[in-house]
Amino acid sequence: WMFKNTGVKKGDALPGLLGYEVDRIQKESLVPKEGNLDEPVKNIVELFATPLINRKNNKITSHGAIYQASSGAYVFSPGTMQWSWGLDDYGVEQGLRTSRLNSVVETMTWNFLEAAGIKRR
């Protein structure tokens, strides 16, 4: 449902959105730690993965992911600090960065917000 109306297919890229800080799914964090057995196993759904080389020249993968918390709330992590650049051109006119506006990013964000009950005006 996150990709509804995006036209995205496996292997497509969203250029210019990985920033100086990226996140990944840490498989070891998905299961409760010893002594915390009443904590539920996290059912994280990997939405997308991006292989890259970090500043230390290590191969890593950035993940975009979603999961449902025990409260029922959905949690979305795009895996990059620059996801917002796909939504807004702040700083482009001033020459601080180039435009990264992206209709896929906008649609995915709206899909998430609408699933949370937030409607477009």
Side-chain angles (χ1 to χ4, degrees):
W1 57 267
M2 281 287 289
F3 293 98
K4 179 181 158 194
N5 297 323
T6 64
V8 169
K9 57 191 177 311
K10 189 172 184 160
D12 284 353
L14 302 176
L17 296 177
L18 285 182
Y20 60 90
E21 183 177 311
V22 296
D23 295 320
R24 66 183 174 88
I25 297 171
Q26 297 180 14
K27 306 289 185 199
E28 63 276 9
S29 298
L30 300 180
V31 262
K33 302 212 178 346
E34 192 174 329
N36 249 358
L37 298 179
D38 58 336
E39 179 183 319
V41 174
K42 290 185 178 71
N43 186 21
I44 296 178
V45 176
E46 179 183 305
L47 298 170
F48 43 85
T50 307
L52 63 132
I53 307 240
N54 68 9
R55 286 183 262 179
K56 295 180 182 177
N57 212 28
N58 297 322
K59 290 181 183 180
I60 62 170
T61 301
S62 170
H63 295 107
I66 191 167
Y67 74 93
Q68 191 168 17
S70 57
S71 67
Y74 282 99
V75 178
F76 169 57
S77 171
T80 173
M81 294 199 51
Q82 288 181 194
W83 185 262
S84 63
W85 289 18
L87 298 170
D88 188 296
D89 259 352
Y90 178 81
V92 171
E93 271 188 37
Q94 297 81 6
L96 300 175
R97 64 179 174 93
T98 58
S99 177
R100 313 287 168 85
L101 286 178
N102 190 299
S103 64
V104 171
V105 170
E106 181 180 356
T107 301
M108 286 181 70
T109 302
W110 272 114
N111 289 343
F112 177 78
L113 293 171
E114 288 173 351
I118 299 168
K119 301 290 181 202
R120 293 186 198 212
R121 292 182 185 193

